[in-house]
Amino acid sequence: MTGTAPVPFTADDYKARMERAARQAADAGLAGLLVAPGPDLVWLTGYAPPAVTERLTLLVLAAGREPVLVVPTLEAPDAEKATGAPALALRDWTDGKDPYALTAALLDGRGRFGVSDNAWALHLLGLQQALPGTSYVSLTEALPMLRAVKDAAELERLAAAGAAADAAFEEIRNVRFSGRRESEVAADLAALLRRFGHAQVDFTIVASGPNGANPHHEACDRRIERGDMVVLDFGGLKDGYGSDTSRTVHVGEPTEEERRVHDLVREAQEAGFRAVRPGAACQDVDRAARAVIAGAGYGAYFIHRTGHGIGVTTHEPPYMIEGEERPLVPGMCFSVEPGVYLPGRFGVRIEDIVTVTEDGGRRLNETEREMVIVD
């Protein structure tokens, strides 16, 4: 079961994204944007270089100017095939030539530019040497909401990725846990994500017993035992867009305390979801979930933010955290994932991806949030 293929993005889609990014850069007082290979480049142009190497590849965006993609000559044929290529100009350079001089000719020599977060220091330093009057700021700092609001086609892909992750959970809850290693269950989860259409698996956290108290525990050789609480957190990319969901299961019957903590986290997750509405601040989602857990006396054991954005990467702005006053806007997508982590004992996390609608929020994960008992 992989579902129907999504409607492909067009050259016009990428053109609109590049134009919007250039406008937002100008509005932020920037002379332009410099985008290196990575998720921003794929989102803006549809182009992913065959390999990320020391050779400079850089998209140059500035309001009122044609987008330009600087590429090594040997990779120009691949760049020309990108869906967004008709909406930009290609400038290629050959080995032995200076790519920074070529790029410098496209830039305001005294401008301030937003630079994609994963740009190599090698390339940024090369540009600074070629244009010592320029300055730079990270794209996440300058335009944190660039990719935050999804259009209908993006929402469709995110919903499909969420449904695929849900299908993986419905399968994994029926496998045997007791007596098996965490790493074995994690491998099952990865295989299920791929079976249900994921091209890339980013993480499969299987944290049993005391390991569940570590939110980012990596599955290991610990054998899962009867009586263990097991945190499952998994996701990746399907058709270029992310999934990320968490459910906490129990091997055999839980204790009264384990059930109580699980119910508390479920209540907190519901409160966070209900706080989602246009105009609410991102921190309101965090406050709503955190208030439930703190009110029950477990506030010191909720040790991470309530959520993160998701799109062409599984973690991106906006973040649901105290101090983030940015308002929620229809089309934003992010996780709501409160948790309680009791050191040396167990942990519980419940996570859905949620999108902001015109009058509230919509979950993109719909698997059972009640305590699930596994064998």
Side-chain angles (χ1 to χ4, degrees):
M1 170 188 151
T2 58
T4 58
V7 175
F9 296 123
T10 66
D12 286 342
D13 291 327
Y14 292 114
K15 179 181 180 182
R17 290 177 186 178
M18 287 188 279
E19 289 175 347
R20 175 154 58 96
R23 285 197 308 271
Q24 289 185 12
D27 291 344
L30 299 174
L33 301 179
L34 307 177
V35 184
D40 290 312
L41 185 63
V42 173
W43 183 78
L44 287 162
T45 69
Y47 176 54
V52 178
T53 72
E54 74 284 356
R55 292 184 174 93
L56 178 72
T57 294
L58 201 66
L59 174 67
V60 179
L61 296 177
R65 299 180 60 181
E66 182 181 29
V68 178
L69 182 62
V70 177
V71 295
T73 300
L74 77 169
E75 294 176 3
D78 294 303
E80 290 171 348
K81 296 174 186 175
T83 305
L88 51 77
L90 288 177
R91 298 286 185 272
D92 65 305
W93 61 277
T94 57
D95 287 349
K97 302 294 184 181
D98 184 354
Y100 307 113
L102 170 63
T103 307
L106 305 171
L107 306 181
D108 175 353
R110 304 198 63 80
R112 180 171 173 80
F113 295 88
V115 182
S116 56
D117 297 359
N118 54 341
W120 285 23
L122 170 72
H123 300 319
L124 192 57
L125 292 170
L127 285 175
Q128 286 181 315
Q129 185 173 5
L131 292 173
T134 54
S135 60
Y136 305 90
V137 61
S138 75
L139 203 53
T140 290
E141 180 181 346
L143 299 177
M145 296 297 106
L146 178 62
R147 304 194 320 250
V149 179
K150 275 63 179 180
D151 61 27
E154 291 181 293
L155 290 173
E156 181 181 337
R157 293 186 185 216
L158 283 162
D166 283 358
F169 177 72
E170 294 295 355
E171 292 281 338
I172 202 68
R173 62 183 289 180
N174 293 317
V175 308
R176 184 180 176 187
F177 280 68
S178 178
R180 301 181 69 210
R181 293 183 172 88
E182 291 178 346
S183 56
E184 293 172 331
V185 178
D188 287 346
L189 263 176
L192 286 167
L193 285 171
R194 292 190 178 94
R195 190 212 299 177
F196 292 118
H198 280 63
Q200 177 178 313
V201 176
D202 287 345
F203 49 89
T204 52
I205 293 173
V206 177
S208 62
N211 290 340
N214 176 1
H216 281 175
H217 171 71
E218 292 192 12
C220 65
D221 286 339
R222 181 184 187 275
R223 289 195 181 274
I224 302 169
E225 302 172 357
R226 292 196 67 79
D228 279 347
M229 196 84 89
V230 185
V231 179
L232 304 173
D233 183 354
F234 51 97
L237 298 182
K238 180 181 186 297
D239 296 317
Y241 281 74
S243 69
D244 185 0
T245 188
S246 299
R247 293 292 185 263
T248 303
V249 303
H250 198 277
V251 186
E253 286 300 315
T255 65
E256 182 179 341
E257 182 190 19
E258 288 171 331
R259 191 175 290 280
R260 184 174 68 249
V261 171
H262 189 280
D263 286 346
L264 175 66
V265 173
R266 181 169 53 82
E267 181 184 348
Q269 207 269 346
E270 179 67 20
F273 169 68
R274 289 183 177 178
V276 175
R277 63 185 184 279
C282 291
Q283 68 181 4
D284 292 343
V285 179
D286 182 82
R287 287 175 175 179
R290 199 168 299 275
V292 173
I293 291 173
Y298 288 87
Y301 304 106
F302 181 9
I303 56 177
H304 55 71
R305 64 197 175 203
T306 293
H308 58 81
I310 190 169
V312 292
T313 57
T314 49
H315 282 207
E316 62 185 46
Y319 298 104
M320 306 301 112
I321 184 65
E322 180 67 31
E324 179 52 85
E325 299 179 350
R326 198 176 310 276
L328 300 180
V329 176
M332 283 183 174
C333 290
F334 48 84
S335 65
V336 178
E337 52 175 306
V340 168
Y341 307 94
L342 303 178
R345 301 182 62 205
F346 64 89
V348 177
R349 182 164 64 257
I350 300 172
E351 173 186 14
D352 295 324
I353 298 302
V354 173
T355 182
V356 184
T357 64
E358 294 297 330
D359 58 1
R362 176 170 67 95
R363 299 181 193 266
L364 301 187
N365 296 106
E366 290 294 353
T367 53
E368 189 173 351
R369 296 174 197 90
E370 302 282 347
M371 172 81 75
V372 170
I373 308 299
V374 298
D375 291 330

